[in-house]
Amino acid sequence: MVSVRLSAFKKLACCLALGSALCAPASSALAADNFWQTIQQKGVLRCGAAPAAPYVMRDPKTQQYSGYFAELCRDFAQNVLKVKVQFVDASWDTLVAGLQSDKWDLAMALNQTPERALAVGFSVPAQDYQISFLVNKQNPKVNGLGNKLADYDKEEVTFAVMSGTAQDKAISAAIKKAKIMRLPGNDESRMALMARRADVLVDASDTNHLFAVANPDWAKEILPTPALAKQGVSFGLPRAVSAADLDVLNIYLSQRRATGDIDRLVNQASIQANAAK
C-alpha cells in the first residue's frame, strides 16, 4: 500500500516538473515578445551612455547628453514608444554587462563584434565604423583621386599613421607600393599631413570625420574600397528580445538612415564636438 502511494506520488511529482518545464519557455518567450510594451508600461526608456564624441557626449556643466546616438535614443523614446528617456551613466567596460544585469534597456554606440554578439543582441547599424583616409585637397598628388585603395597605393604617396594601432596593422597589410610613415600619436600624424610630409592620414573614420568637419577648407575624408576594418555601430539590446520587437528599432533606424537624417545628426554632433574643444 505504501509503495503504491509512493509510486503515485512520484508520478505526480514528474508531471508537475514536466508542466513547469513546459511553461517556463512560454513565460520567457512572452516576456521577450513584450520588450517595448514593458518599457511603455514603465513610462521610461533607459539608455546606457558611455561618452565618446560624436556618438555620445555629456556637457560637464549641465550633465546633459548629446551626440547622434543620444539624439536617436531620445527621439525613439519620445516619438515611437511615447515614453521619457533616461540616460544612465556608463563606461565602455560596463555597457554590455549593464544590459545583462538590466541596468539599462539599450546600450548606445556599440561596435558589432562576434564576441559581443555572444552576450547581447544588436540593432541594424546606425552608422558604420571603419578606417578612413584624410587628404589635403590642395595636394596635387592625391587631388582628384577616387576612393579605391589602389588609387593611393603608389610609390610617390606617403601614408601617415599612429604606430602600433589597429589602423597601422590594417594599412600595413593592404599597402604594397606606397610608403608608410609611422608616428607616435594623432597630433604628429595630423601635423605630417598638414605640412605635406605625408599625403594620406590613416585613422578611425569617426576621428577623421571630426577633423574634416573642423577643417573644411582643405581636409577631405575618403572611405576606401575595399573597406578597412569595417564594423557596424549599433544599439545593443538584451539577447532575449524577440525578432518582432527588434524589427521596431531596425525599421526606425533604417528609415532615418535612408533619408539622410542620421548623416545630418552626425555632422551636427561633429560640429558640436569641435566647438567644445
Side-chain angles (χ1 to χ4, degrees), residues 55-128:
Y55 308 103
V56 180
M57 299 178 286
R58 182 175 58 195
D59 189 308
K61 295 180 180 178
T62 65
Q63 301 301 307
Q64 296 298 308
Y65 277 97
S66 60
Y68 76 89
F69 259 88
E71 295 304 327
L72 289 171
C73 210
R74 184 181 286 113
D75 183 72
F76 182 73
Q78 296 174 349
N79 295 317
V80 177
L81 299 181
K82 311 297 182 183
V83 298
K84 296 178 181 179
V85 66
Q86 177 187 358
F87 295 107
V88 185
D89 295 345
S91 68
W92 292 104
D93 292 333
T94 62
L95 270 178
V96 170
L99 278 177
Q100 294 175 311
S101 59
D102 194 35
K103 290 183 178 179
W104 39 79
D105 307 304
L106 296 177
M108 296 189 290
L110 276 182
N111 282 32
Q112 292 183 345
T113 67
E115 294 79 12
R116 283 176 174 165
L118 291 171
V120 299
F122 285 106
S123 70
V124 296
Q127 279 286 86
D128 294 317

Side-chain angles (χ1 to χ4, degrees), residues 1-10:
M1 186 68 161
V2 173
S3 62
V4 172
R5 288 178 179 176
L6 285 175
S7 176
F9 179 78
K10 287 179 180 178

